[in-house]
Amino acid sequence: MHVLVTGGAGYIGSHAAKRLAQAGHVPVVLDNLVRGHLQAVRWGPLVVGDLADPTVLEQAFHSYPIEAVLHFAALAYVGESMSAPADYFRNNTTNTLNLLDAMRNHRVNVLVFSSTCAVYGNPLRQPITEDTPAAPVNPYGESKLMVERMLHWHGEAYGLKWVALRYFNAAGADIEGELGELHDPEPHLIPRVIGAAHGAIPALEVFGSDYDTPDGTAVRDYIHVTDLAEAHALALDHLWKGGAGGIFNLGTGRGHSVREVVQAVEAVTGRRVPLRESGRRPGDPPVLVAATGRVRTVLGWQPRHSTLPTIVETANKWHLANSAASIMTLNAASIVALRAASTAAADAASIAAEDAASITQR
Ligand SMILES: NC(=O)c1ccc[n+]([C@@H]2O[C@H](COP(=O)([O-])OP(=O)(O)OC[C@H]3O[C@@H](n4cnc5c(N)ncnc54)[C@H](O)[C@@H]3O)[C@@H](O)[C@H]2O)c1
């Protein structure tokens, strides 16, 4: 089936698009390329446009026989959300309403949504079950929680079938080396540690080394992006076959400290990671680890690549093969060319992936 993948040019969405194609589906990517990369769209058509624009959505649903949606498109940096909350509520929450309207207009009623463990805030108990009260401590988490509530009511009123996957820390890169993480700036720990090991950044800043954890640094639950992509395929299948939707944590149930991550990167790269110790960041909980019983039991999901060595090896391989700076430059040039082409075509915000690739090569 044709599946709309919003944000499919981004880190997790591109891995999910690849997984959909492997399952025989056609991923139709809709992305404004603000934080995504043309090079990451390889398994189906690309609609370049913004969820804020209902005509773009209309065109996507009109042009392709879409039967389900994976909704990744969002702004996703906690720190940024603290200084620009309006951008987060507008892009993550209001724009999702546009998507839901378009789905309803086109009688598409299956949706898998990218939610986040940030909805839990600073929970008292670990591991965190889905029944832990949601109490976000930043606009990012709040903007995602509001979407979850919208999905619930769309289910009640319009029969929307939905799954919200609350991801913990996505990490690693495509096992075959075709995709990886490329954010600018890059706020996520593992690519930053790898960058520090290879000298791309002068030193890794460690925020807090006096937490009540075994080595004093913060503990997080890292899940390999390929395992995340697999969970989307399973969730889609589950909903399609009439399974009950709802909220699922997506993590491994095992936490690793910042120091453990640093050691893993040093072991894989054979290089020392320069560290700079800083104070705790406000709002950073000491430990965030998922209780994973529900996703394993209901969706039959199992992490297969989410060990720290595999996460670091795949991420490091990607880092070495893809100079972030050169890809960013190439991407920026491609987007300029693409936008010019789209404007000239006036009504054509939609282009085939082949066209995108040829513009990229020029
Ligand atoms: N990376 C993580 O560890 C993590 C953890 C929890 C949840 N999530 C969620 O997973 C999703 C994907 O995260 P990611 O790390 O791949 O982010 P990303 O920034 O790499 O990808 C997001 C994509 O959405 C696109 N986009 C944003 N706003 C858009 C709009 N209005 N219209 C069209 N396209 C738009 C961007 O250009 C980008 O390609 C997000 O919803 C994020 O909140 C990520």
Side-chain angles (χ1 to χ4, degrees):
M1 77 179 136
H2 284 66
V3 180
L4 184 69
V5 183
T6 75
Y11 171 44
I12 305 170
S14 59
H15 287 78
K18 178 175 176 180
R19 180 66 188 87
L20 286 178
Q22 285 169 339
H25 301 305
V26 179
V28 177
V29 168
L30 191 161
D31 201 297
N32 61 9
L33 300 176
V34 163
R35 292 197 173 155
H37 306 280
L38 278 178
Q39 295 82 349
V41 185
R42 304 194 200 166
W43 291 276
L46 167 65
V47 177
V48 181
D50 199 301
L51 288 176
D53 182 354
T55 60
V56 168
L57 280 160
E58 198 47 42
Q59 184 178 4
F61 280 97
H62 191 71
S63 306
Y64 300 98
I66 290 162
E67 294 184 85
V69 177
L70 303 187
H71 180 32
F72 297 92
L75 298 174
Y77 298 161
V78 168
E80 183 182 66
S81 80
M82 296 296 278
S83 54
D87 292 349
Y88 275 69
F89 290 114
R90 189 171 296 110
N91 196 47
N92 297 358
T93 313
T94 310
N95 288 347
T96 298
L97 208 46
N98 291 344
L99 173 66
L100 292 171
D101 286 347
M103 288 177 66
R104 215 165 57 254
N105 289 342
H106 290 268
R107 295 187 165 71
V108 176
N109 74 341
V110 172
L111 175 80
V112 180
F113 171 61
S114 302
S115 191
T116 165
C117 64
V119 299
Y120 294 115
N122 296 319
L124 294 176
R125 291 215 189 98
Q126 304 287 336
I128 307 166
T129 66
E130 289 87 350
D131 300 326
T132 303
V137 293
N138 51 63
Y140 168 60
E142 194 84 64
S143 71
K144 291 282 184 171
L145 182 60
M146 288 169 83
V147 173
E148 289 187 1
R149 298 309 300 155
M150 294 192 325
L151 298 184
H152 166 77
W153 291 113
H154 277 66
E156 294 289 307
Y158 308 123
L160 179 72
K161 297 172 186 173
W162 61 277
V163 158
L165 297 172
R166 290 179 173 170
Y167 316 158
F168 281 62
N169 290 58
D174 176 47
I175 300 291
E176 283 142 14
E178 293 186 289
L179 295 164
E181 186 164 15
L182 207 54
H183 293 126
D184 181 26
E186 180 55 77
H188 297 122
L189 181 69
I190 290 179
R192 286 189 68 78
V193 182
I194 291 171
H198 293 291
I201 56 174
L204 178 82
E205 210 167 357
V206 179
F207 297 106
S209 46
D210 58 351
Y211 285 112
D212 186 15
T213 58
D215 65 21
T217 62
V219 170
R220 295 289 181 269
D221 185 338
Y222 296 94
I223 172 169
H224 195 283
V225 65
T226 301
D227 287 336
L228 261 173
E230 179 63 19
H232 288 76
L234 290 169
L236 191 58
D237 206 37
H238 173 77
L239 289 174
W240 199 253
K241 289 178 176 155
I247 291 166
F248 296 84
N249 281 344
L250 205 47
T252 65
R254 163 118 210 257
H256 293 286
S257 71
V258 174
R259 283 201 207 289
E260 281 182 276
V261 170
V262 168
Q263 282 160 10
V265 169
E266 289 183 336
V268 165
T269 61
R271 290 164 171 265
R272 200 182 63 79
V273 176
L275 303 179
R276 187 156 57 85
E277 307 223 341
S278 306
R280 298 180 183 191
R281 277 184 306 198
D284 251 357
V287 181
L288 287 175
V289 174
T292 61
R294 188 180 289 179
V295 70
R296 290 174 194 258
T297 312
V298 180
L299 300 186
W301 176 82
Q302 299 265 13
R304 290 195 294 144
H305 307 288
S306 295
T307 63
L308 199 50
T310 303
I311 286 173
V312 171
E313 269 159 32
T314 53
N316 186 56
K317 197 166 128 199
W318 167 258
H319 176 92
L320 292 177
N322 298 272
S323 146
S326 65
I327 288 187
M328 292 294 174
T329 309
L330 179 62
N331 194 49
S334 304
I335 290 170
V336 169
L338 190 59
R339 292 230 163 96
S342 295
T343 309
D347 63 341
S350 173
I351 61 164
E354 295 79 19
D355 296 340
S358 68
I359 289 169
T360 307
Q361 285 151 18
R362 257 182 252 151

